[in-house]
Amino acid sequence: MSRSPRRILSLLTLFTPPQPILARIPRQRPPQHRAFRTLARDTLPRMASMAAAAGLDFSQQNLSQKFGNEVVNYFSGSPLNRVSFLRADTAFLAAALAVAKILPFSDLDPLTASPKELSYTSMSVPAIAELIGTPYTAPEADLIAAHDSRHSPPTLLFLGLLESDKSSAFSYADGKYSGQPFFALDVTAHPTVAAALTAGKPELEFRKTRLNLQLPPNDAAVVAMARHVLHWNDRNTFCSACGSRTMSVHGGTKRVCPATDAAAPDTPRAACVSRQGVHNIAFPRTDPTVIMAVVNAAGDKVLLGRQRRWPDRFYSCLAGFCEPAESVEEAVRRETWEETGVHVGRVVIHSSQPWPYPACLMLGAVGEALPGGEGIDLGNDPELHEAQWYDVEFLRRMLAKPQRGLDEAEGEGDMEEGDIRLPPPTAIAHQLLLAVTKGYHLAAKM
């Protein structure tokens, strides 16, 4: 692996708070045993109500009738309409900024009022208005032409519109686009501004969400986008093609290498390939990463692994980066074989999860091992300390116990002899295991 999957596997298990999750239910599978009867009686009504609450109740659509409801993982399900086609419209951005809720970040940590509540500011706060200034005074092309590398404005990111919130009375294009605008602002390089935001307010702090994920799912999704793109902006202040300073445009979601610099008007910049066509330097990166629940050919066992540095008895699904020119299905097969020696056949994508530490998109899948290919061999990639097959019924019992992240100790009385720890509900690994213990892989043919 060119990038360490150990980091990915560790990060995936840091989630701690519960949240509403929709699960795929095999509609045409007859209730052949107690698990399916319990699922139909207790779980379906609860999931339907959660779907409606999240605004994602597509249960009556044909695709849902065939494949089951959509799974919504933590960090996804943003309530904001990104209206990405308006990001280059500086008149829109200027009008939105004037009434926006602005979420400050310092060292990629958002300003919070508590572990469960974000704290927003606005242009009505003098320190914020002075720091931001008037960044959208001209069309974007004119702003690029006037680039001056002597000035380094803070990264300001347009996040989207909360269309259900009309309190700001913001509207654009004769009311076609309306709602509460949201922005994110990086104040890392401006400690006096950060201090001014928290002065006299001891409850406010820039909180490290990675170790304390207690935000409501909608707020977590907003933080995920902001953190992801702010991190990318911070790492791409210079052009990778020519080395010149880049400039943030498109509401913070694109960086360009300007052809001129007001700091040296008599010295034209050298030609740069990044100014021609579409290039990777210009847009935020997203790293596709697979995470998979691998079942045996009989469908009654699941393959789990653990790393040496994890807490005792902690196991999770296998995971790893997708390689270039590799499909999700191929990555699942390759990673499983490299890490455990198990050969996987059919792979089905279950759900996905943004993971902004720094820029991953977790692609959750269920894979089925080939008959005769279920032997475990850890002698290829030294990724795992241990891998084992566990009975589905055993995992069902373990999932019913209190689950905690890697940074949390076992609760007193949580575990019995022979038990193992699994990732908590906000981890996509937990949702994959929940799916297979509820018969996801046993659905009747359609």
Side-chain angles (χ1 to χ4, degrees), residues 101 192 423:
K101 290 184 176 180
T192 56

Side-chain angles (χ1 to χ4, degrees), residues 78-90 92-93 96 158-163 170 172-173 175-183 225 250-251 253:
S78 174
L80 303 183
N81 183 346
R82 302 191 186 198
V83 286
S84 60
F85 47 86
L86 292 175
R87 290 171 180 162
D89 186 339
T90 53
F92 165 77
L93 293 175
F158 172 66
L159 297 172
L161 299 174
L162 182 59
E163 295 172 307
F170 173 78
Y172 190 72
K176 186 175 183 180
Y177 312 109
S178 64
Q180 175 61 55
F182 282 73
F183 282 73
M225 178 193 177
H250 267 56
T253 62

Side-chain angles (χ1 to χ4, degrees), residues 6 23 46 90 106 137 144 155 171 246 257 322 331 370 377 387 400 442:
R6 295 181 179 86
R46 178 168 53 87
T90 53
S106 180
T137 56
I144 296 173
T155 300
S171 67
T246 58
C257 179
C322 290
L370 293 171
D377 177 6
L442 300 176

Side-chain angles (χ1 to χ4, degrees), residues 22 41 47 81 95-96 118 156 166 170 215 219 243 258 264 277 283 312 337 379 381 426 429:
L22 304 180
R41 184 187 69 240
M47 290 193 308
N81 183 346
L118 298 174
L156 183 63
K166 307 296 184 182
F170 173 78
L215 291 172
D219 289 341
F283 296 96
D312 289 343
W337 177 80
D381 187 338
T426 46

Side-chain angles (χ1 to χ4, degrees), residues 130-182:
E130 182 179 355
L131 176 62
I132 293 177
T134 53
Y136 307 123
T137 56
E140 187 168 275
D142 293 345
L143 294 175
I144 296 173
H147 170 68
D148 190 334
S149 62
R150 292 171 295 188
H151 303 299
S152 299
T155 300
L156 183 63
L157 171 64
F158 172 66
L159 297 172
L161 299 174
L162 182 59
E163 295 172 307
S164 61
D165 183 352
K166 307 296 184 182
S167 60
S168 69
F170 173 78
S171 67
Y172 190 72
D174 295 325
K176 186 175 183 180
Y177 312 109
S178 64
Q180 175 61 55
F182 282 73

Side-chain angles (χ1 to χ4, degrees), residues 182-441:
F182 282 73
F183 282 73
L185 175 67
D186 188 356
V187 299
T188 304
H190 305 276
T192 56
V193 175
L197 291 171
T198 58
K201 300 176 181 178
E203 74 279 7
L204 297 186
E205 67 172 291
F206 291 93
R207 192 176 303 272
K208 293 188 178 299
T209 56
R210 178 168 160 182
L211 296 179
N212 195 1
L213 295 179
Q214 298 183 42
L215 291 172
N218 282 354
D219 289 341
V222 172
V223 169
M225 178 193 177
R227 192 187 193 285
H228 185 145
V229 183
L230 290 177
H231 176 273
W232 169 79
N233 271 281
D234 184 55
R235 297 299 189 272
N236 289 272
T237 53
F238 292 91
C239 178
S240 63
C242 71
S244 299
R245 184 175 289 277
T246 58
M247 175 182 178
S248 178
V249 294
H250 267 56
T253 62
K254 179 180 178 181
R255 297 193 73 90
V256 297
C257 179
T260 59
D261 186 350
D266 299 327
T267 307
R269 281 187 166 186
C272 180
V273 67
S274 73
R275 301 184 196 124
Q276 304 171 10
V278 178
H279 292 268
N280 290 335
I281 183 179
F283 296 96
R285 61 182 285 181
T286 294
D287 301 333
T289 309
V290 292
I291 179 167
M292 47 279 188
V294 176
V295 298
N296 64 346
D300 58 1
K301 296 181 185 295
V302 183
L303 179 64
L304 299 180
R306 59 172 276 102
Q307 297 180 12
R308 191 180 302 275
R309 59 180 178 175
W310 286 359
D312 289 343
R313 303 194 287 187
F314 198 105
Y315 288 79
S316 187
C317 297
L318 309 184
F321 287 104
C322 290
E323 294 279 340
E326 183 178 53
S327 70
V328 171
E329 293 84 355
E330 290 171 323
V332 168
R333 297 184 188 105
R334 176 184 55 78
E335 283 287 342
T336 303
W337 177 80
E338 288 181 355
E339 294 181 5
T340 68
V342 172
H343 294 268
V344 172
R346 183 73 167 96
V347 174
V348 176
I349 297 174
H350 172 269
S351 62
S352 60
Q353 179 179 49
W355 180 245
Y357 300 99
C360 290
L361 177 61
M362 306 309 303
L363 304 169
V366 175
E368 184 176 328
L370 293 171
E374 298 166 352
I376 294 175
D377 177 6
L378 302 182
N380 297 317
D381 187 338
E383 169 69 25
L384 298 177
H385 172 57
E386 186 180 351
Q388 290 190 41
W389 290 102
Y390 286 95
D391 289 339
V392 166
E393 182 57 39
F394 171 78
L395 294 179
R396 187 179 293 118
R397 295 199 308 272
M398 295 302 100
L399 289 169
K401 292 176 175 287
Q403 304 297 337
R404 293 172 170 81
L406 280 174
D407 58 320
E408 296 180 296
E410 293 180 13
E412 185 176 353
D414 285 352
M415 309 292 287
E416 300 176 2
E417 184 69 26
D419 286 355
I420 64 172
R421 294 177 59 184
L422 297 172
T426 46
I428 189 173
H430 183 104
Q431 299 308 318
L432 292 172
L433 294 175
L434 193 65
V436 295
T437 59
K438 290 181 176 179
Y440 181 94
H441 57 300

